Amino acid sequence: MKNQTIYFKKQPRIIATSTIAGTKECEGVIGRYVEVALSDDMYGETTFEKAECKMLSKVIDGAITNAGLKRDEVDMLVSGDLLNQIISASFAARDYSVPFLGVYGACSTMAESLAVAATMVDGGYCKRVVAATGSHFASAERQYRYPLELGCTRPPQSQWTVTGAGGALVADRGEGVKITAATLGKVVDYGITDVNNMGAAMAPAAADTILTHFRTTGEDITAYDLIVTGDLGALGSRILKDLTWEKGLDIGENHVDCGEIIYNVIEDEYQGGSGAGCSAVVLNSYLYSKMMSGNLKRILFVATGALLSTVSSGQGESIPCIAHAVVLER
Amino acid sequence: MKNQTIYFKKQPRIIATSTIAGTKECEGVIGRYVEVALSDDMYGETTFEKAECKMLSKVIDGAITNAGLKRDEVDMLVSGDLLNQIISASFAARDYSVPFLGVYGACSTMAESLAVAATMVDGGYCKRVVAATGSHFASAERQYRYPLELGCTRPPQSQWTVTGAGGALVADRGEGVKITAATLGKVVDYGITDVNNMGAAMAPAAADTILTHFRTTGEDITAYDLIVTGDLGALGSRILKDLTWEKGLDIGENHVDCGEIIYNVIEDEYQGGSGAGCSAVVLNSYLYSKMMSGNLKRILFVATGALLSTVSSGQGESIPCIAHAVVLER
């Protein structure tokens, strides 16, 4: 590790992915790239939480199957989600007779799990690792804000938690998208206390990780076709651009945010999508497809997470955030 | 990885530890090995959660200081805890300008974070990583069961969440306790639904990991001075012994459980201690001290975790459990 950046010399690669997304999500641009489009966000289950867990299972299985493998040919599962005690990941893991590493990075989980999976493969500890995460609008609203049944209105700075999940199979060999480096984020807290304004809270963490990444690697912004942030949304993305521009890095032309692009008409969801499923779905469907077809050659995938809980906010604490960056190359 | 076991060829080592524990915990045998003994379980804070976070910060700092290092000489922090969204770890991480990997393995977190830290060091990605976790009786009761103010009685099969935290500094060189291997657990669910009976729920996971470890390594039970489980308590430990004995492995003579030994008079806490802080405190105080002094030469540290949430139990789900094992040698 140089500074906060790990280089993966053996270039572990994502040889297959799988995604699932809800009805609202599939109306947007990513709809035709998503593997499984739900017609009912309950996914045949009796509770939102069980639906979320089932989505996660589906993409873990999907990533394994799409790689032409069987469940017992995987060495490890690295997963986490937004629910208390990451129950979606833990319960999904019951079906796999392989070691499970539970991780928590809120909406940064896709990048965190990818980085841990790449480390396990690059270090020679594992041959094939599944990294996966997801979220569900209704379970997240119930846990973090208000049950949907209350019919609460949402403030204009809010985002919409994505119903969806994405999984990636990281392997030591095979055709795929290479993971060549990861810049692991530190926790950044700018004192934001508005739990409806995740974008503003997370933008400084994204800026910190992106600036650290370019400072450490000495790369130019043009070395990447895209800088993809996780789920800052429209407002958060504007703040990120300001913060990086102030430090002399202009990411404007090359930046796209998963939360900004996932929905069809972004205004309907205020600032756009959020949730661990947001970047997981966009990365493993749309972006992976564009990379495999050669339209994108090198991207910096920066998933961001807000590490608050209802208890911490209730006790007056601000919102600590984190962003992990992963370099993906074709 | 062979089966579920990772071998650390470069033998990363724990060069320093730090522990803190509550008043009740320090009355027991580990009291004189704990670095900081609290006289007030609120630790000068206004809420239980803030006290828990402060304990965690204390041992992270303690491990760094005891290793003769400064905060910026550490490459990474790997931590998690029992609270929703692991707020103790995330908030503690704000004070450290280093990459943070949030992990969740419930009470298995000490072993999970040690294994991840050892991987980072062994793979050459980091030189010095802090692995730490903790728990607080009052915050855990409030979150998982009932607020203390309700004065609910506890059933005889219950355990007592330890108020305490432990941290270990894992480095690529230096004098210390070597981490030579880790057997990472898979999620095991025997269908237990009694949220007051964690020991019975976790024992099958511990048995699975221990049996897998011995099957994979081909070692004899006598290769270890001790098999140390995390927090099965008295009942869980009896079940573990039965389960392993049925499979032809008699761990009876060599087994000790952190939950069984942490309190002075175990009956007062029914089945004994539990919580992420239980094995973290016992490992990083008593066991580390015994290993450094040469009284123990080789132990298998198996921390166990119950991956339930109040929501999953409320929806009628059983309790998935996990156990990660780490081989420690002097």
Side-chain angles (χ1 to χ4, degrees):
Chain A
M1 175 171 282
K2 186 187 167 193
N3 227 333
Q4 296 170 219
T5 304
I6 285 175
Y7 294 97
F8 300 117
K9 288 186 187 134
K10 294 184 193 155
Q11 304 188 330
R13 62 231 34 207
I14 303 171
I15 59 166
T17 64
S18 179
T19 48
I20 186 168
T23 48
K24 189 185 188 76
E25 287 71 21
C26 289
E27 285 169 11
V29 64
I30 60 122
R32 71 195 128 109
Y33 296 94
V34 167
E35 192 176 350
V36 182
L38 290 177
S39 56
D40 165 22
D41 284 6
M42 290 301 287
Y43 202 8
E45 292 292 326
T46 51
T47 70
F48 305 132
E49 290 76 14
K50 289 182 183 178
E52 181 178 324
C53 180
K54 190 175 173 184
M55 288 196 300
L56 195 51
S57 294
K58 181 77 181 169
V59 298
I60 296 169
D61 266 347
I64 296 170
T65 310
N66 292 345
L69 298 169
K70 296 200 181 72
R71 281 186 181 185
D72 60 2
E73 292 179 292
V74 169
D75 293 326
M76 187 183 285
L77 171 62
V78 184
S79 187
D81 58 90
L82 297 179
L83 295 183
N84 296 342
Q85 287 72 54
I86 60 166
I87 48 171
S88 293
S90 302
F91 278 78
R94 284 192 294 193
D95 296 333
Y96 303 88
S97 213
V98 298
F100 169 64
L101 280 187
V103 293
Y104 185 78
C107 308
S108 73
T109 302
M110 193 67 233
E112 181 180 355
S113 59
L114 267 185
V116 171
T119 305
M120 288 291 170
V121 171
D122 187 69
Y125 304 107
C126 296
K127 286 191 173 132
R128 289 173 286 266
V129 180
V130 175
T133 187
S135 54
H136 194 294
F137 172 71
S139 67
E141 285 298 303
R142 166 147 83 188
Q143 179 181 286
Y144 284 105
R145 296 174 195 94
Y146 302 100
L148 298 184
E149 293 82 351
L150 280 180
C152 294
T153 53
R154 301 161 64 78
Q157 71 275 30
S158 69
Q159 292 172 249
W160 192 275
T161 303
V162 164
T163 298
L169 201 140
V170 181
D172 61 343
R173 64 193 66 189
E175 183 80 357
V177 171
K178 291 172 186 165
I179 306 174
T180 55
T183 297
L184 299 172
K186 49 181 192 267
V187 176
V188 173
D189 188 338
Y190 266 35
I192 302 278
T193 53
D194 177 2
V195 296
N196 285 303
N197 200 349
M198 292 293 114
M202 296 191 294
D208 188 84
T209 298
I210 291 170
L211 290 167
T212 302
H213 179 79
F214 281 101
R215 203 166 51 235
T216 306
T217 59
E219 288 175 333
D220 193 79
I221 191 89
T222 55
Y224 295 91
D225 294 330
L226 276 184
I227 312 291
V228 185
T229 47
D231 55 348
L232 297 176
L235 176 58
S237 292
R238 285 211 302 281
I239 298 172
L240 169 66
K241 282 171 196 170
D242 284 352
L243 289 173
T244 49
W245 185 81
E246 276 175 10
K247 299 284 183 184
L249 186 75
D250 184 2
I251 64 165
E253 292 292 306
N254 288 48
H255 173 260
V256 68
D257 182 73
C258 298
E260 276 195 294
I261 61 172
I262 196 164
Y263 291 115
N264 201 17
V265 183
I266 186 175
E267 288 74 18
D268 289 355
E269 291 76 29
Y270 301 107
Q271 302 301 327
S274 69
C278 181
S279 60
V281 167
V282 176
L283 173 71
N284 292 299
S285 64
Y286 179 71
L287 293 170
Y288 187 75
S289 162
K290 290 288 177 199
M291 293 198 81
M292 289 303 281
S293 65
N295 290 102
L296 290 171
K297 292 206 165 49
R298 195 155 185 268
I299 69 171
L300 186 66
F301 173 70
V302 192
T304 48
L307 306 171
L308 79 167
S309 84
T310 51
V311 168
S312 68
S313 291
Q315 293 182 4
E317 292 274 12
S318 54
I319 305 171
C321 294
I322 198 162
H324 299 296
V326 177
V327 179
L328 300 173
E329 294 183 22
R330 179 63 182 152
Chain B
M1 177 172 279
K2 187 186 166 192
N3 228 332
Q4 296 169 221
T5 304
I6 285 175
Y7 293 97
F8 301 117
K9 289 186 186 133
K10 293 183 192 155
Q11 304 189 332
R13 60 230 37 205
I14 303 171
I15 59 167
T17 64
S18 179
T19 48
I20 186 169
T23 48
K24 189 185 186 75
E25 287 71 22
C26 289
E27 286 170 10
V29 64
I30 59 122
R32 70 195 129 111
Y33 296 93
V34 168
E35 192 177 350
V36 182
L38 292 176
S39 56
D40 165 23
D41 285 6
M42 290 300 287
Y43 201 8
E45 293 291 326
T46 50
T47 70
F48 305 133
E49 290 77 13
K50 289 182 182 179
E52 182 178 321
C53 180
K54 189 174 175 185
M55 287 196 301
L56 195 50
S57 294
K58 182 75 182 171
V59 297
I60 295 168
D61 267 346
I64 296 170
T65 310
N66 292 344
L69 298 169
K70 295 199 182 70
R71 281 186 182 184
D72 60 3
E73 292 179 292
V74 169
D75 293 325
M76 186 183 285
L77 170 62
V78 184
S79 186
D81 58 89
L82 298 180
L83 294 183
N84 296 343
Q85 287 71 54
I86 59 165
I87 47 170
S88 293
S90 301
F91 279 77
R94 287 193 293 192
D95 296 333
Y96 304 87
S97 211
V98 298
F100 168 63
L101 280 187
V103 292
Y104 185 78
C107 308
S108 73
T109 302
M110 193 66 233
E112 181 179 354
S113 59
L114 267 185
V116 172
T119 305
M120 288 292 169
V121 172
D122 188 68
Y125 305 106
C126 297
K127 287 194 172 126
R128 289 173 287 267
V129 180
V130 175
T133 187
S135 54
H136 194 294
F137 172 71
S139 67
E141 285 297 303
R142 166 147 82 187
Q143 178 180 286
Y144 284 105
R145 296 174 194 96
Y146 303 99
L148 298 185
E149 292 83 349
L150 281 180
C152 293
T153 53
R154 302 163 61 79
Q157 71 274 32
S158 69
Q159 292 172 249
W160 192 275
T161 303
V162 164
T163 298
L169 201 141
V170 181
D172 61 343
R173 63 193 65 189
E175 182 80 357
V177 171
K178 291 172 185 165
I179 307 174
T180 55
T183 296
L184 298 172
K186 49 181 191 267
V187 176
V188 173
D189 189 338
Y190 266 35
I192 301 279
T193 53
D194 178 1
V195 296
N196 285 302
N197 199 348
M198 293 293 114
M202 297 191 292
D208 187 84
T209 298
I210 292 170
L211 289 167
T212 302
H213 179 79
F214 281 101
R215 204 167 49 235
T216 307
T217 60
E219 289 175 334
D220 193 79
I221 191 89
T222 54
Y224 295 91
D225 293 331
L226 276 184
I227 312 292
V228 185
T229 48
D231 54 348
L232 297 176
L235 176 58
S237 293
R238 283 211 304 278
I239 297 171
L240 170 67
K241 282 172 196 170
D242 284 352
L243 289 172
T244 48
W245 184 81
E246 276 175 9
K247 299 284 183 184
L249 185 75
D250 184 2
I251 65 164
E253 292 292 306
N254 288 49
H255 173 260
V256 68
D257 182 74
C258 298
E260 277 195 294
I261 62 172
I262 196 165
Y263 291 115
N264 201 16
V265 183
I266 185 174
E267 288 73 18
D268 289 355
E269 291 74 31
Y270 300 108
Q271 302 302 327
S274 70
C278 182
S279 59
V281 167
V282 175
L283 173 70
N284 292 298
S285 65
Y286 178 73
L287 292 170
Y288 187 74
S289 163
K290 290 288 177 199
M291 292 197 83
M292 288 302 280
S293 65
N295 290 104
L296 291 172
K297 291 203 168 49
R298 195 156 185 268
I299 69 170
L300 186 66
F301 174 69
V302 192
T304 49
L307 306 172
L308 79 166
S309 84
T310 52
V311 169
S312 67
S313 292
Q315 293 182 4
E317 293 274 12
S318 53
I319 305 170
C321 294
I322 198 161
H324 300 295
V326 177
V327 179
L328 301 172
E329 294 183 23
R330 179 62 182 150

